[in-house]
Amino acid sequence: LTTMTQPLRLIDVAVNLTDEMFRGIYNGKRSHDDDLEHILNKAFNRGVDKIIITGTDQEDSLKAIQLSQTNDKLYCTVGVHPTRCSEFVGKEDEVMQKLRDAIKNGGDKVVAVGEFGLDYDRVQFCPKEVQLEFFEKQFVLSQEFGLPLFLHMREAADDFIEVVKRNREKFSKAVVHSFTGTADEANRIIKELDIYIGINGCSLKTEENLETVKSIPAERIIIETDAPWCDIRPSHAGFKYIKSSLPSKDKKKFDKSKAEEFTIKGRNEPCNVIQVLEVIAGCKGMDVHQLSEIVYKNAEDVFFSQSK
């Protein structure tokens, strides 16, 4: 008799589930039927028992709340992404009030303030000064509602650490999601800010990325997909550690009757969060089950514990 291995328990803390790609629409054009239900089933059938939908601005946060209310396993964040912070300009009070109302109306479904932070890689979407001002101003939401933070940091480590440090007493727990920084930056985030680091496919592209992930204690890692983005591709350094994958098809060859047997090429999905786990376990030389229990507990601790 073959012994059944214990199924893994997984939480995907970052899915852009409001993206039209999950409805079969790519760049504004419909390529296939809406398959959101199948996407969720694929994840739930592969050990994912909670998904956090990322809210990236006022409108998107409201959509995330609505979507989270359709399934017991879905939750969401409410906040404004650094590249969208221009929506605060000239109407700061109004936007802040809308975010407060969204958090109130979302109730238990809203598990964090975010996604917010700094992105100096994309200042063409929102200037640095505007990002800095409205990064700082969203911390109050955490303080008012007792929520953890879902943070964004891209090419902005020094300013990011300084701002978070200055506001550290306003929140209890946080994760810096989709981390692509250096080992030194990861170490500073853990030591100076005492927060967690979110790892996805974008964190696992190069050998240097893998060395960075190796340096982060498992007790500080939270896993995510950031789907439909950040898939782990054959050209990525982490790909060699993947053991679990569904066959993928071109979006034009979508077959509704077999929608839970394959994924769409180039569209990441929450069922692939196991791949992130496998790559981290592989590069750290850890047992995948042992690691899954640690990162599951980390996600529970930040987003789903009573002490958040």
Side-chain angles (χ1 to χ4, degrees):
L1 281 170
T2 56
T3 54
M4 283 287 289
T5 53
Q6 194 64 23
L8 297 170
R9 290 192 310 159
L10 305 161
I11 296 173
D12 189 348
V13 306
V15 184
N16 300 285
L17 215 52
T18 60
D19 194 287
E20 287 188 322
M21 273 196 237
F22 293 128
R23 304 289 190 169
I25 297 165
Y26 301 74
N27 301 317
K29 287 193 190 131
R30 178 167 293 285
S31 289
H32 57 78
D33 288 345
D34 181 331
D35 61 333
L36 181 65
E37 188 186 340
H38 301 295
I39 288 162
L40 293 176
N41 287 342
K42 270 180 273 186
F44 299 149
N45 292 336
R46 283 165 182 78
V48 177
D49 70 15
K50 293 185 185 84
I51 289 172
I52 302 177
I53 307 165
T54 308
T56 54
D57 60 24
Q58 306 166 72
E59 191 187 340
D60 190 49
S61 295
L62 291 173
K63 284 184 190 162
I65 290 170
Q66 284 176 329
L67 200 46
S68 72
Q69 288 164 338
T70 63
N71 191 297
D72 286 350
K73 297 179 178 181
L74 300 179
Y75 298 86
C76 68
T77 72
V78 169
V80 181
H81 190 282
T83 60
R84 311 228 179 136
C85 272
S86 298
E87 68 177 40
F88 279 109
V89 179
K91 44 183 184 177
E92 181 191 327
D93 292 347
E94 180 193 330
V95 175
M96 286 299 285
Q97 194 49 52
K98 281 188 174 162
L99 295 173
R100 284 187 179 97
D101 291 345
I103 293 169
K104 275 182 205 144
N105 297 337
D108 291 346
K109 286 292 186 178
V110 180
V111 293
V113 174
E115 174 179 1
F116 76 121
L118 296 173
D119 192 323
Y120 291 175
D121 198 31
R122 290 181 279 180
V123 288
Q124 71 271 29
F125 295 114
C126 182
K128 214 180 259 196
E129 312 70 60
V130 177
Q131 287 191 32
L132 275 163
E133 181 181 353
F134 296 106
F135 176 28
E136 190 118 33
K137 285 183 172 166
Q138 290 182 74
F139 283 93
V140 70
L141 296 170
S142 170
Q143 198 173 27
E144 285 175 26
F145 293 97
L147 287 169
L149 309 182
F150 183 74
L151 297 165
H152 179 103
M153 182 190 90
R154 190 74 78 244
E155 306 295 337
D158 289 345
D159 284 358
F160 177 91
I161 288 168
E162 189 186 319
V163 174
V164 176
K165 216 183 258 184
R166 197 160 54 230
N167 291 278
R168 189 61 189 86
E169 79 294 343
K170 294 194 176 97
F171 67 94
S172 116
K173 291 166 188 168
V175 61
V176 182
H177 119 95
S178 194
F179 183 78
T180 56
T182 64
D184 179 57
E185 287 166 0
N187 186 48
R188 286 184 66 198
I189 283 164
I190 293 163
K191 294 269 191 328
E192 296 178 35
L193 305 177
D194 186 27
I195 61 182
Y196 292 82
I197 292 181
I199 302 294
N200 61 34
C202 290
S203 320
L204 304 166
K205 286 182 177 177
T206 66
E207 288 300 337
E208 189 189 359
N209 289 154
L210 298 185
E211 286 302 313
T212 295
V213 168
K214 254 192 227 181
S215 78
I216 303 170
E219 291 68 27
R220 283 284 150 187
I221 291 175
I222 287 178
I223 58 171
E224 53 173 80
T225 57
D226 208 21
W229 322 111
C230 294
D231 51 331
I232 304 171
R233 298 180 180 178
S235 59
H236 295 172
F239 186 81
K240 59 182 172 283
Y241 295 114
I242 290 176
K243 296 184 172 68
S244 310
S245 64
L246 282 168
S248 64
K249 281 189 181 187
D250 185 275
K251 58 183 182 287
K252 294 189 173 64
K253 296 185 177 157
F254 178 83
D255 177 353
K256 185 98 176 186
S257 67
K258 297 190 176 125
E260 290 175 30
E261 294 168 27
F262 63 88
T263 58
I264 299 288
K265 269 196 185 81
R267 180 186 73 176
N268 198 9
E269 295 187 18
C271 67
N272 291 332
V273 74
I274 188 168
Q275 297 180 346
V276 177
L277 182 77
E278 288 170 343
V279 176
I280 299 169
C283 76
K284 279 183 166 292
M286 284 182 76
D287 172 71
V288 75
H289 284 83
Q290 185 194 359
L291 182 62
S292 81
E293 284 304 309
I294 295 168
V295 298
Y296 186 94
K297 182 181 169 296
N298 295 345
E300 282 277 321
D301 182 49
V302 175
F303 299 108
F304 300 104
S305 69
Q306 291 313 302
S307 59
K308 64 185 183 196

